[in-house]
Amino acid sequence: MTSIDIRLKSDEMAILNSMVGKKLISVKHDPFVFVNSSSQVVQINSESGEFYLYSFVEPLDYFGSEEDVAVWTLETERNKAAECKSFAETPFNETVKSVIVVQENQRLFQNGTQIYDVWLTRGIIFDFGDHQYSLEKAVWFSEDIYLQKGYDLINKFNGVDEFINSDWDEGCTAECSRQLITLS
């Protein structure tokens, strides 16, 4: 069985945890044109520091073939991708009540035998108590980070059915579930 784990690591989760109880000052992203997305990088400014959510493609096994797959990292260092941006800024100045990290487990079976077990971070939701702000990795291959304000934003994420109902080879079936980790 092939196991792949591209979830945020423990030090990245610690960065998110450091934001709980502190003000999210602003989020910097590409100017929105057709959709609310930012390519490759979002800058998060909080009372606990300045952080960068990167989404870069890496060659990985994608269910039997090598593909360029977008992998998220959360870092304190500003790299060249961030330096080249003409960011737009969304101000908040609001206290983060909790951070919800959306982890997804994708499993592929061939004739009843599990052949893939894949874990990834699907998104991050900042909860302010009466509303939320989310960053979502909506597409496996895309470096775009989708941003959204609203309520119950987990319900606005792309559903797990997209993975389950993909065009799999005959004899293959897929399962997908989500785990919400609340940092508070």
Side-chain angles (χ1 to χ4, degrees):
M1 178 177 63
T2 301
S3 295
I4 298 170
D5 189 346
I6 55 172
R7 290 176 285 187
L8 293 176
K9 307 295 182 247
S10 60
D11 58 327
E12 296 166 306
M13 295 290 281
I15 290 171
L16 292 172
N17 197 45
S18 76
M19 294 184 210
V20 176
K22 305 236 172 65
K23 283 191 178 183
L24 177 63
I25 298 165
S26 68
V27 173
K28 292 183 178 181
H29 48 77
D30 289 341
F32 298 149
V33 180
F34 297 109
V35 294
N36 293 358
S37 68
S38 191
S39 179
Q40 296 184 326
V41 62
V42 169
Q43 180 179 327
I44 302 166
N45 303 308
S46 91
E47 284 183 326
S48 59
E50 186 175 275
F51 308 105
Y52 299 89
L53 178 64
Y54 294 111
S55 181
F56 294 124
V57 293
E58 296 178 12
L60 290 174
D61 180 341
Y62 181 72
F63 303 101
S65 63
E66 188 171 289
E67 300 284 347
D68 285 338
V69 174
V71 176
W72 278 14
T73 59
L74 186 61
E75 303 176 18
T76 57
E77 298 295 319
R78 181 182 179 100
N79 73 16
K80 290 179 185 177
E83 290 172 6
C84 296
K85 295 282 185 172
S86 295
F87 281 127
E89 185 171 16
T90 300
F92 286 93
N93 289 316
E94 296 182 67
T95 301
V96 176
K97 303 291 184 203
S98 65
V99 177
I100 302 162
V101 181
V102 182
Q103 309 284 31
E104 193 166 278
N105 182 220
Q106 301 173 341
R107 299 167 303 281
L108 187 64
F109 298 83
Q110 185 172 41
N111 299 320
T113 301
Q114 187 173 359
I115 57 173
Y116 278 91
D117 186 39
V118 178
W119 280 96
L120 66 128
T121 299
R122 176 63 66 192
I124 300 166
I125 301 171
F126 294 98
D127 192 320
F128 301 105
D130 60 349
H131 64 284
Q132 297 175 327
Y133 189 73
S134 69
L135 309 163
E136 180 187 6
K137 177 185 176 182
V139 180
W140 184 255
F141 306 102
S142 176
E143 295 174 302
D144 288 341
I145 302 166
Y146 291 86
L147 303 107
Q148 192 164 199
K149 284 183 181 181
Y151 311 92
D152 291 323
L153 292 180
I154 188 63
N155 294 321
K156 299 202 167 100
F157 276 35
N158 283 349
V160 296
D161 289 344
E162 287 187 28
F163 175 78
I164 294 169
N165 297 326
S166 292
D167 189 24
W168 300 109
D169 291 340
E170 189 168 325
C172 288
T173 56
E175 295 177 357
C176 187
S177 59
R178 288 201 173 137
Q179 175 185 38
L180 305 180
I181 299 172
T182 302
L183 308 173
S184 56

